Amino acid sequence: MDTQQYLDIFLDESQEHLQSINDFLLKLEEDSSNLEYVHEIFRSAHTLKGMAATMGYEDIASLTHKMENVLDLIRNEELVTNTKIIDTLFIAIDDLEDMVDSIRNGGDGKKDVSEHVKKLEAIEKGEEISESAAAVAVEESSNTVNHFKTSDLDEFQLTVVQQAKEQGMVPYDLAVTFEAACILKGARAFMVFEVLENLGEIIRTSPTVEEIEEGAFDSGFTLLFLTDQEPERLIEAVKNISEVEAVEAHVIQTDGGSADNQNQAENIQADTVPVDEKTDLAKVKEAAAEVPEPNLKAPQKNNTAQNNGKKTASKNIRVNLDKIDNLLNLFEEVVIDRSRLEVLVSSIDNSDLRETVEHLSRVSSDMQSLILAMRMVPIEQVFNRFPRMIRQLSKDLNKKIALEIKGAETEVDRTVIDEIGDPLVHLIRNSCDHGIEHPEERIANNKPEEGKLILRAYHSGNYVFVEIEDDGAGINREKVSQKAIENNIITPQQAKELTDDQIAALIMSSGFSTADTISDVSGRGVGLDVVKNKIEALGGKISVTTASGKGSIFSIQLPLTLSIITTMLVHIQKETFAIPLTSILETIMLPKEKIMDAHGSDVIDYRGKIIPVLSLGKVLQVPDCETEADRYPTVIIKKGEKLIGLIVDELIGQQEVVLKSLGNYLGEVFAVSGATILGDGEVALIIDPNALID
């Protein structure tokens, strides 16, 4: 079977299962009594093992199998988890991630994991074993024919087995052993397959079919076989093949219920019933249909969807990102033409035409929402890796660090997800290493001994903000100033005039470092110029605020890369501007007498809160924009918790527009994120409200 066509699916699903194992291992470490966590880990590991075996990645399958053995002991309460066991499982996960990454990069997915396998085996046996003993154990296990249990089957295979039983067929675990002198094992195996295929259906083999046909097994192999034939005929047919030494048949028992929408571990019994040539088929079927008591203690889940044992068809498909990009580019042209049609129909007195254009607008708006949603994914795909990283950093640095994640459900474009991970890793490692103090130092400064690191994400306008906040020592102004002067980045006079945040921003200068010693983890400021360059390459910005003794906040502003956005169109003199609707809190008519002066700046009392107001015309230097009026149309915009009022000449209304870059010729223009073409052909600039809020 050509498995390459399934490679992308394998890589995506493997990453999902590895992340799930990571997440639940962390939870299990915090609450070792919760066996539901163990069941979740076991299910993910079991599925990963099955996928890897199907794809032919035996190193992944074998390591995952060893993990399963340990997890099986834990979930059956024969083994109590501790830090050593969790650490060993995490090391195994690291190996699995390395092998999956190798496959993703065109490798063979192989890695020497013998040392970690020995550790897992030692845990399984409840003892530390020597390398030689481990080697013997591995060798002995490789010469043993492993029997299938229902716990080895995935959901699909369980469903097939159950449906076959309903049709009067019996599921067998069939072990075939060849004579020691057998030379052409692959050819003999092919003959076994040929005989059995005439008597029933082969569902699964161990090892894989390809390995069996190539003779890549020791003394024998095992099949999961469905048949309605008498056991006597089944065993006799296989034994008649030359050089077959023995055939063992075991009936696989299940509970008779559907495998769908329920916990697999709750629905199956691992025992099998041996049969031979003299076993009566009626008794075999009776044994297969028995319902033994489950031996697992996982809590039962509510099953509201009854599908009578039928497998629910998947409602998801995987589409290449380039296809969605092309679809979006084409739809941008549809949006521009739609706006043009809406302008043209307003001057034509034809009710049928107007109704048709209105319907087209509604349908295309729905299409637009669907297309944009296809590219959007929750940023938790990036955030999920950090709890495990913080756990390890806490151990490496001998610090107590608590990670709090906020806004993980915030959706961003897939391209942003792929690129933002590495900069966040570097910033978080810096905060843990040189931001958060050691416990004794924190206690001496009347702080909790456990440091806090907050990772948050939120939308503001056409941007997503990601912030890394720590409650550590902050950035030392004097040390940064001195280093910046030494590196000729600023002058001594500038060092006195710059604010604390402006000084702190200097740590992102090229080659800048204030670290007293070289750390294996990071150095505050080391490499932050690379982080800054990466963020700017994505069209974003990074800033830092700090307070001595209280901590620092690194704020990353990234474009959502949505090319179609909903805006509020406004007029300033004869110019039209578009403000992203996601940044607008509300629009008001501001009486002139409500505008007050505070330290030379205009402010207003907005619902009990003093906020600044700006004339958008003055900010953008629109000619003749200073007009006197009794009331000013004002747009209240927000960035996180911060608010500001923008005074304009006229509010036109909402409109969906296509965001176009200003290009390299104009470059970056203050408070302008791009431009768009309106329905009447006019070009309107799109405002970046975040640039107007400090």
Side-chain angles (χ1 to χ4, degrees), residues 30-210:
E30 295 178 359
D31 183 6
S32 60
S33 64
N34 193 329
L35 292 183
E36 183 61 23
Y37 297 153
V38 185
H39 294 310
E40 293 292 345
I41 298 168
F42 187 91
R43 277 191 287 273
S44 291
H46 179 68
T47 304
L48 178 58
K49 182 186 75 173
M51 292 192 305
T54 302
M55 295 292 292
Y57 300 123
E58 292 304 321
D59 284 359
I60 296 178
S62 60
L63 180 57
T64 315
H65 180 67
K66 295 298 181 184
M67 288 178 57
E68 276 187 314
N69 292 342
V70 174
L71 292 166
D72 196 44
L73 292 174
I74 297 173
R75 69 176 185 170
N76 288 318
E77 298 187 356
E78 298 175 24
L79 181 66
V80 178
T81 57
N82 55 40
T83 301
K84 181 179 179 181
I85 293 175
I86 296 294
D87 286 342
T88 304
L89 290 172
F90 271 133
I91 291 172
I93 293 300
D94 289 339
D95 285 336
L96 291 172
E97 288 177 342
D98 289 343
M99 288 187 277
V100 171
D101 287 341
S102 169
I103 297 167
R104 182 177 285 106
N105 296 323
D108 57 7
K110 293 184 178 296
K111 185 177 182 180
D112 182 7
V113 294
S114 56
E115 289 297 322
H116 298 154
V117 167
K118 293 173 192 173
K119 291 181 180 179
L120 290 169
E121 289 177 340
I123 293 173
E124 182 183 353
K125 295 180 180 181
E127 60 184 17
E128 293 292 340
I129 58 176
S130 64
E131 293 185 13
S132 59
V136 171
V138 171
E139 183 178 355
E140 289 177 348
S141 65
S142 65
N143 291 324
T144 303
V145 176
N146 293 320
H147 291 287
F148 279 118
K149 302 188 296 291
T150 42
S151 58
D152 294 326
L153 310 183
D154 60 27
E155 183 179 355
F156 174 73
Q157 291 164 346
L158 279 170
T159 304
V160 170
V161 168
Q162 187 59 47
Q163 291 178 348
K165 286 173 57 180
E166 292 171 358
Q167 297 171 10
M169 301 182 77
V170 178
Y172 287 99
D173 163 76
L174 200 63
V176 180
T177 305
F178 293 114
E179 296 175 357
C182 180
I183 300 176
L184 300 176
K185 293 186 294 183
R188 297 301 181 197
F190 179 79
M191 295 172 67
V192 172
F193 289 165
E194 193 171 33
V195 167
L196 290 177
E197 285 172 352
N198 293 325
L199 299 175
E201 183 178 358
I202 299 173
I203 300 300
R204 182 172 170 180
T205 67
S206 177
T208 63
V209 174
E210 290 82 357

Side-chain angles (χ1 to χ4, degrees), residues 228-247:
D228 58 359
Q229 300 293 317
E230 296 284 347
E232 179 180 2
R233 182 182 178 190
L234 178 67
I235 296 175
E236 182 181 0
V238 178
K239 277 191 172 181
N240 283 337
I241 298 173
S242 179
E243 297 185 302
V244 171
E245 183 177 274
V247 180

Side-chain angles (χ1 to χ4, degrees), residues 274-335:
V275 298
D276 55 32
E277 298 97 321
K278 299 179 181 179
T279 305
D280 183 76
L281 181 61
K283 294 182 178 180
V284 170
K285 291 184 177 181
E286 181 180 350
E290 289 179 356
V291 186
E293 288 295 324
N295 63 349
L296 300 178
K297 299 182 180 180
Q300 297 290 325
K301 296 181 180 179
N302 291 331
N303 183 13
T304 56
Q306 301 294 331
N307 50 18
N308 298 321
K310 296 182 180 178
K311 184 173 179 66
T312 304
S314 174
K315 295 183 179 180
N316 297 319
I317 61 171
R318 298 180 185 270
V319 180
N320 188 290
L321 202 58
D322 290 339
K323 293 182 179 180
I324 298 179
D325 285 339
N326 293 335
L327 179 61
L328 187 57
N329 290 334
L330 289 172
F331 195 78
E332 288 176 2
E333 301 302 320
V334 173
V335 173

Side-chain angles (χ1 to χ4, degrees), residues 585-590 594 596 604-611 636 643:
L585 188 62
E586 70 171 315
T587 58
I588 61 174
M589 294 300 296
L590 178 62
K594 295 291 185 181
M596 302 175 287
I604 60 171
D605 183 348
Y606 176 73
R607 304 189 188 284
K609 183 177 182 179
I610 302 300
I611 67 171
I636 306 297
L643 303 177

